Amino acid sequence: EPEVTQTPSHQVTQMGQEVILRCVPISNHLYFYWYRQILGQKVEFLVSFYNNEISEKSEIFDDQFSVERPDGSNFTLKIRSTKLEDSAMYFCASRETSGGYNEQFFGPGTRLTVL
Amino acid sequence: DAKTTQPPSMDCAEGRAANLPCNHSTISGNEYVYWYRQIHSQGPQYIIHGLKNNETNEMASLIITEDRKSSTLILPHATLRDTAVYYCIVRVGGDYKLSFGAGTTVTVRA
């Protein structure tokens, strides 16, 4: 069964460093998302991406964050200068088509630890 | 988005049906009811969705009241692997974010 994959599973970085989290969405999917979950808190929406541009972003997704689909398969989230409060699980999700119901398929997540 | 209310936690015996309630009294006519679950910090997993008719798939059944103000997710034969946080989300269809609340923590006991 097709699935969303994410790498790495765990990333440890120093405060102020740049990190890139990678996702490979399901191959025929057109809509892509990043969510995050701080330990013990709710899953929060960060950004959605379609047709090579951001379609919606939350207040969390400030200038330190960027997303890119550099080729036909990868979808990346970059954090330019990490802060301690960026420590969280980051989930990528993808969706097949427009319209209809909103079934998003989530990856297993990347645990980001900022020291 | 319509607000949803779910109990914070519930227990269920293995092999028995688990009935998870969700109130969404402000739901609009074009909003779907979606259920997702999250098993111990894994990525959320889609379970089922419905608009106004009851729905069933290989994982669960969704019963939506006639006035659509509440719904119940039914796991027909709960197993230990069904222990998870279950989220009821009300949203229009299309390319929109999912807004997760606190959900219901379901613990299936042997």
Side-chain angles (χ1 to χ4, degrees):
Chain A
E1 185 174 326
E3 58 183 19
V4 177
T5 59
Q6 292 186 242
T7 55
S9 56
H10 191 187
Q11 173 90 46
V12 181
T13 189
Q14 295 290 324
M15 190 170 56
Q17 295 297 303
E18 174 184 287
V19 294
I20 297 176
L21 310 183
R22 290 183 167 80
C23 168
V24 179
I26 295 172
S27 63
N28 63 335
H29 284 193
L30 302 176
Y31 297 83
F32 313 110
Y33 309 83
W34 283 100
Y35 293 79
R36 80 172 186 190
Q37 186 175 31
I38 295 170
L39 186 64
Q41 298 187 22
K42 301 175 188 177
V43 177
E44 301 174 288
F45 167 78
L46 292 178
V47 66
S48 59
F49 191 85
Y50 168 70
N51 200 25
N52 281 319
E53 59 183 32
I54 290 172
S55 45
E56 186 178 4
K57 61 182 180 179
S58 71
E59 292 178 353
I60 302 167
F61 194 88
D62 61 21
D63 292 344
Q64 293 298 311
F65 292 87
S66 62
V67 289
E68 191 179 33
R69 188 155 161 81
D71 53 42
S73 60
N74 290 285
F75 179 51
T76 62
L77 174 69
K78 182 192 291 186
I79 308 175
R80 261 179 272 282
S81 177
T82 50
K83 309 184 193 69
L84 295 176
E85 54 265 37
D86 293 327
S87 294
M89 284 289 289
Y90 287 81
F91 298 108
C92 172
S94 69
R95 181 169 177 271
E96 184 176 2
T97 61
S98 63
Y101 61 91
N102 197 357
E103 178 185 355
Q104 296 180 18
F105 292 86
F106 285 76
T110 292
R111 179 172 299 284
L112 176 65
T113 302
V114 182
L115 303 176
Chain B
D1 297 347
K3 181 178 160 60
T4 62
T5 304
Q6 299 178 252
S9 64
M10 61 184 295
D11 284 0
C12 175
E14 188 179 22
R16 304 295 296 270
N19 297 297
L20 283 64
C22 180
N23 285 321
H24 32 79
S25 58
T26 60
I27 191 170
S28 301
N30 62 343
E31 288 181 314
Y32 291 80
V33 180
Y34 307 95
W35 283 84
Y36 281 75
R37 73 180 183 183
Q38 187 177 25
I39 297 173
H40 189 56
S41 296
Q42 295 178 23
Q45 178 189 23
Y46 166 81
I47 301 173
I48 200 167
H49 77 282
L51 184 60
K52 49 186 175 182
N53 298 323
N54 297 337
E55 303 287 345
T56 295
N57 64 18
E58 65 278 3
M59 289 182 69
S61 295
L62 174 60
I63 308 297
I64 302 174
T65 58
E66 195 168 337
D67 64 8
R68 303 209 323 126
K69 293 184 177 181
S70 65
S71 60
T72 301
L73 179 75
I74 301 172
L75 307 177
H77 305 286
T79 71
L80 298 179
R81 287 174 297 188
D82 291 322
T83 292
V85 180
Y86 287 77
Y87 301 100
C88 171
I89 300 170
V90 173
R91 199 62 174 95
V92 296
D95 176 30
Y96 297 107
K97 65 185 183 220
L98 291 168
S99 296
F100 291 86
T104 296
T105 299
V106 173
T107 303
V108 180
R109 302 192 186 278

